[in-house]
């Protein structure tokens, strides 16, 4: 039995590496990374189900995994809806008109601080999506947008962790009494 479990674990590890490689080499292979991820995850679950402890345990684990994924997808749909509503009502235009600097270092600090404080009020992901959408309208060069996207992600995570309402993990720790707002 122990040999069988080692074999199954090895097979799962190899399938994971192959799936990950297909995602990484999306362009040379000509395979969409979403398709590779879905196919790979499906095959991984099938292999696991064939060698799992029992059908009920595998069913419970699969249900928990699908539920977690669905929660993330619904959250992303809501976050993207917020961005589209802001865009439909020219919310980005209002913001971009108010930004008067053309100097990248000044703009970087403005965006970083705005992202930090906005993510303390909203959540990290929604803030990052909104700010990256804003950057697409402000910056023409791809390299500048990538640099600012990195700054936005760092600032959004830092701001989200700064308050209990900005980050799901922080909220869970705060509710559990493991950390305080200060």
């Amino acid at each position: 039995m122990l040999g069988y479990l080692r074999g199954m674990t090895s097979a799962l590890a190899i399938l994971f590496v192959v799936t990950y490689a297909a995602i990484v080499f999306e362009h040379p292979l000509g395979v969409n990374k979403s398709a590779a991820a879905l196919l790979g995850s499906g095959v991984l679950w099938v292999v696991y189900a064939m060698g799992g402890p029992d059908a009920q345990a595998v069913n419970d684990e699969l249900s928990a995994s699908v539920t977690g994924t669905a929660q993330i997808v619904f959250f992303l749909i809501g976050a993207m809806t917020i961005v589209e509503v802001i865009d439909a009502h020219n919310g980005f235009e209002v913001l971009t008109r108010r930004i008067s600097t053309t100097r990248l270092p000044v703009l970087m600090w403005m965006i970083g601080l705005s992202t930090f404080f906005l993510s303390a009020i909203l959540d990290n992901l929604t803030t990052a999506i909104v700010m990256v959408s804003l950057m697409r309208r402000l910056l023409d060069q791809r390299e500048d947008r990538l640099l600012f996207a990195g700054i936005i992600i760092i600032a959004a995570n830092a701001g989200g962790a700064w308050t209990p309402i900005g980050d799901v993990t922080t909220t869970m720790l705060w509710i559990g009494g493991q950390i305080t707002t200060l």
Side-chain angles (χ1 to χ4, degrees):
M1 180 67 171
L2 188 59
Y4 177 76
L5 289 176
R6 284 186 186 150
M8 185 184 70
T9 303
S10 297
L12 290 172
I14 291 168
L15 284 169
F16 176 79
V17 169
V18 168
T19 300
Y20 197 78
I23 292 168
V24 169
F25 297 111
E26 170 188 22
H27 293 293
L29 293 174
V31 176
N32 183 297
K33 68 178 91 181
S34 298
L38 288 171
L39 180 64
S41 64
V43 171
L44 283 164
W45 273 109
V46 168
V47 169
Y48 179 70
M50 291 172 66
D54 64 48
Q56 187 58 43
V58 171
N59 187 35
D60 293 343
E61 290 175 19
L62 181 59
S63 294
S65 179
V66 170
T67 300
T69 302
Q71 288 172 340
I72 292 168
V73 168
F74 285 126
F75 180 81
L76 285 171
I77 290 170
M80 292 305 296
T81 301
I82 291 170
V83 171
E84 290 302 317
V85 167
I86 291 171
D87 193 29
H89 295 286
N90 297 322
F92 292 120
E93 187 178 319
V94 170
L95 293 172
T96 55
R97 273 191 278 130
R98 294 188 187 251
I99 296 175
S100 59
T101 186
T102 57
R103 296 179 47 220
L104 285 180
V106 173
L107 182 61
M108 179 193 71
W109 280 103
M110 290 172 64
I111 295 302
L113 288 171
S114 299
T115 302
F116 179 86
F117 289 109
L118 186 60
S119 71
I121 298 167
L122 295 174
D123 61 275
N124 303 358
L125 187 57
T126 304
T127 300
I129 291 169
V130 167
M131 296 307 284
V132 167
S133 296
L134 176 64
M135 281 302 94
R136 284 194 345 232
R137 287 163 175 74
L138 288 175
L139 300 171
D140 293 329
Q141 295 192 8
R142 183 178 188 273
E143 294 80 26
D144 292 339
R145 286 195 308 265
L146 288 174
L147 174 67
F148 275 75
I151 291 165
I152 287 167
I153 297 303
I154 292 168
N157 281 301
W162 185 52
T163 64
I165 58 173
D167 179 61
V168 173
T169 307
T170 310
T171 303
M172 290 177 355
L173 292 172
W174 183 60
I175 289 171
Q178 295 158 329
I179 61 170
T180 65
T181 304
L182 294 177

